[in-house]
């Protein structure tokens, strides 16, 4: 959608279940390389990537969390 011109200011990443081939980033979010690449692409389009399970959780930028944990190169 974003590639087609739909403006998305912020994307909430709340829960992404673990499956074979995915690595657990947080207790509620597991990612594979395709997920990480998609988030990087969205970031290039200016989308704020807001990692939190519930609204009362602190806002975390998922790309910063990935980098912090040396989750992916």
């Amino acid at each position: 959608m974003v590639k087609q011109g739909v403006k998305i200011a912020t994307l909430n990443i709340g829960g992404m279940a673990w499956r074979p081939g995915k690595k657990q980033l947080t207790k509620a979010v597991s990612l594979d390389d395709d997920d990480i690449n998609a988030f990087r692409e969205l970031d290039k389009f200016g989308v704020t990537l807001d990692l939190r399970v519930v609204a009362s959780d602190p806002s975390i930028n998922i790309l910063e969390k990935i980098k912090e944990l040396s989750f992916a190169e």
Side-chain angles (χ1 to χ4, degrees), residues 23 25 64-73:
K23 296 179 189 174
L25 181 66
E64 291 174 11
K65 184 77 169 175
I66 290 167
K67 188 180 218 181
E68 171 189 316
L69 298 178
S70 300
F71 198 75
E73 293 300 314

Side-chain angles (χ1 to χ4, degrees), residues 41-52:
E41 188 75 13
L42 288 167
D43 181 63
K44 288 178 187 175
F45 281 95
V47 178
T48 300
L49 302 168
D50 182 23
L51 171 61
R52 63 172 110 189

Side-chain angles (χ1 to χ4, degrees), residues 23-59:
K23 296 179 189 174
Q24 193 167 5
L25 181 66
T26 69
K27 64 181 180 177
V29 176
S30 296
L31 306 172
D32 60 20
D33 290 340
D34 290 338
D35 298 322
I36 294 167
N37 291 332
F39 289 134
R40 288 180 176 152
E41 188 75 13
L42 288 167
D43 181 63
K44 288 178 187 175
F45 281 95
V47 178
T48 300
L49 302 168
D50 182 23
L51 171 61
R52 63 172 110 189
V53 178
V54 295
S56 61
D57 287 346
S59 176

